[in-house]
Amino acid sequence: MKRRSFIQKTALTGGAFSLGGAFSYASNETLPMKHQFNLKYAPHLGMFKHHVGEDPIDQLNFMADQGFTAFEDNGMMKRDVAVQEKMAKTMQDRGIEMGVFVVDKGGNMANTLAAGKQEYIDIFLDGCKRAVEVAKRVNAKWMTVVPGGFERKLPIGVQDANVIEALKRGAEIFEPHGLIMVLEPLSDSPDLYLQNSDQTYMICKGVDSPSCKILYDIYHLQKTEGHLIHNMGLTWDEIAYIQIGDNPGRKEPTTGEINYKNVFKWIHEKGFTGILGMEHGNSKEGKEGEQAVIDAYKHVDNFM
C-alpha cells in the first residue's frame, strides 16, 4: 500500500490522526485564486474530505486555499494533544482563526445543570477546567456549552436559577483566561432546557459575565422561533458566536428557506467580526457536493 493511501485510511482510527508531513496535501498545487469572503465562515473536518482525504492538516490547508479564515471543531477536546498542537500550528501558519469546540460535560442531554445536583455541577466544572488547557493549546476563545435537559420535577424558575448559578461557577474558571463559553439553544428535542434566544439572553444577563454569551445557531433558531433578524437584534449585545445551516435539511445556504444573503448582510452591517461556524452537512455527495458548499458561500457572501 502506498504511504499516501495508508495515511488517509488510518487518519481517524481510535481517535488518532495522521500528522501530515512530506506526503500531506500540497497547498501550492495549481488552484484558483482564493476567495475573499466578507465574513469569517468556519468549515469543519470532513466537509471537504473528498478533495483531500481524512488528514486534518490537509483539510485545513484546503480550507485556507479556498479563502476560509476560520475553523471550528466540536470534538477538539477528545483529540490527542499532538494532533491539537499540529492543527494549531497549521492554523497559525495559514491565517485560520480557531472557532468553537464543545466543553465535555457528557453530552447535550446529560448531567443537566437545571437539576442543581452537585455531581452534575462537578462534571461540568471539570470539563471547563480541561477546556482551558485545550483552548490555550489551540488558540481558541469560544467553547460551546449546552446546559442539558429540563428537570421536570422542579418549577421552571428554580431550574433557571440552578442553571445561572452553575454557569457563574464556570465563568469564574474562564474569566481569568479571557475565554468565553457560548450557550447554544437547540431544537433537537423538547426535553432540552435551552431552546430560545430570549431565554438564553435572560440566562446570560443572570450570569452577568463577559465569559458567558450566546451562540446563535441560525438553523436551530429558525426552527424554534423564526424572525431571525428581529430576534438577533433583540439579543445582539449577548451574541458572541453564530452558526449556520439552512432549514429544512441542515445543509449549506441556498438549499432551504432562509435568505442567508440578507441575514449575512445584516450581520456584516452590525459590525460583527466574530466567527460564523458552518455547522451543517453537504447537500450533495462527493467532490461535486463539496464544491457546491464553496459556491453557495461565495453566492450568499456577495451582499455588498
Side-chain angles (χ1 to χ4, degrees):
M1 182 183 293
K2 293 183 179 179
R3 183 179 179 191
R4 175 61 177 162
S5 297
F6 175 80
I7 290 173
Q8 290 185 358
K9 289 180 183 295
T10 60
L12 185 50
T13 302
F17 283 83
S18 159
L19 297 183
F23 290 85
S24 62
Y25 171 69
S27 60
N28 59 354
E29 291 176 2
T30 302
L31 292 168
M33 184 177 297
K34 70 168 62 176
H35 188 75
Q36 296 291 321
F37 290 104
N38 292 301
L39 294 168
K40 297 177 185 177
Y41 307 111
H44 54 79
L45 293 180
M47 185 164 270
F48 305 120
K49 65 182 180 181
H50 291 287
H51 274 85
V52 292
E54 298 282 2
D55 187 283
I57 306 307
D58 292 354
Q59 293 185 57
L60 285 168
N61 279 318
F62 181 83
M63 294 170 194
D65 288 336
Q66 303 308 308
F68 294 108
T69 56
F71 165 76
E72 66 177 22
D73 182 20
N74 284 344
M76 182 64 85
M77 281 192 73
K78 298 183 182 298
R79 309 212 186 281
D80 292 340
V81 171
V83 175
Q84 294 173 358
E85 292 173 344
K86 186 72 172 180
M87 292 174 71
K89 184 179 186 306
T90 302
M91 286 187 279
Q92 183 176 18
D93 291 345
R94 298 306 309 272
I96 296 174
E97 189 173 353
M98 181 67 202
V100 291
F101 62 83
V102 175
V103 172
D104 182 12
K105 60 171 277 293
N108 286 349
M109 286 294 297
N111 303 311
T112 175
L113 301 182
K117 294 182 179 180
Q118 190 61 48
E119 61 188 288
Y120 296 165
I121 295 171
D122 289 344
I123 290 170
F124 166 61
L125 297 179
D126 175 70
C128 292
K129 292 172 184 175
R130 290 185 287 113
V132 169
E133 298 307 311
V134 175
K136 290 179 179 179
R137 196 173 294 126
V138 301
N139 301 313
K141 183 177 181 180
W142 304 275
M143 289 135 295
T144 305
V145 169
V146 177
F150 283 106
E151 182 59 50
R152 300 291 188 183
K153 295 179 181 180
L154 295 177
I156 189 62
V158 173
Q159 294 183 62
D160 292 341
N162 287 341
V163 171
I164 288 169
E165 287 304 308
L167 293 174
K168 283 182 177 180
R169 300 278 302 280
E172 290 172 356
I173 293 171
F174 291 128
E175 278 186 22
H177 307 281
L179 302 176
I180 303 171
M181 57 180 169
V182 284
L183 310 181
E184 183 177 14
L186 299 172
S187 64
D188 296 327
S189 168
D191 290 323
L192 281 161
Y193 165 82
L194 201 60
Q195 298 189 31
N196 297 298
S197 61
D198 63 327
Q199 174 198 18
T200 315
Y201 186 79
M202 179 270 293
I203 295 296
C204 287
K205 291 299 184 184
V207 176
D208 191 24
S209 168
S211 288
C212 183
K213 297 295 178 181
I214 297 172
L215 191 170
Y216 195 102
D217 188 308
I218 294 173
Y219 163 75
H220 284 297
L221 290 169
Q222 170 69 1
K223 291 176 65 181
T224 58
E225 62 188 32
H227 301 290
L228 295 169
I229 289 175
H230 172 74
N231 287 330
M232 291 179 79
L234 290 176
T235 60
W236 186 253
D237 62 303
E238 295 291 342
I239 294 174
Y241 199 95
I242 297 169
Q243 286 182 325
I244 303 159
D246 216 335
N247 183 59
R250 201 174 187 177
K251 306 300 182 185
E252 70 269 15
T254 73
T255 58
E257 66 188 0
I258 301 174
N259 187 338
Y260 264 107
K261 183 175 285 191
N262 277 358
V263 172
F264 288 158
K265 182 176 185 290
W266 183 87
I267 290 171
H268 185 267
E269 289 176 348
K270 292 291 287 185
F272 186 71
T273 59
I275 290 174
L276 298 94
M278 297 159 59
E279 198 184 38
H280 56 75
N282 299 357
S283 63
K284 300 176 183 177
E285 297 293 330
K287 286 186 176 181
E288 178 187 1
E290 294 172 359
Q291 187 59 51
V293 169
I294 296 168
D295 292 342
Y297 276 90
K298 290 179 179 179
H299 173 73
V300 294
D301 187 69
N302 185 25
F303 50 73
M304 300 297 284

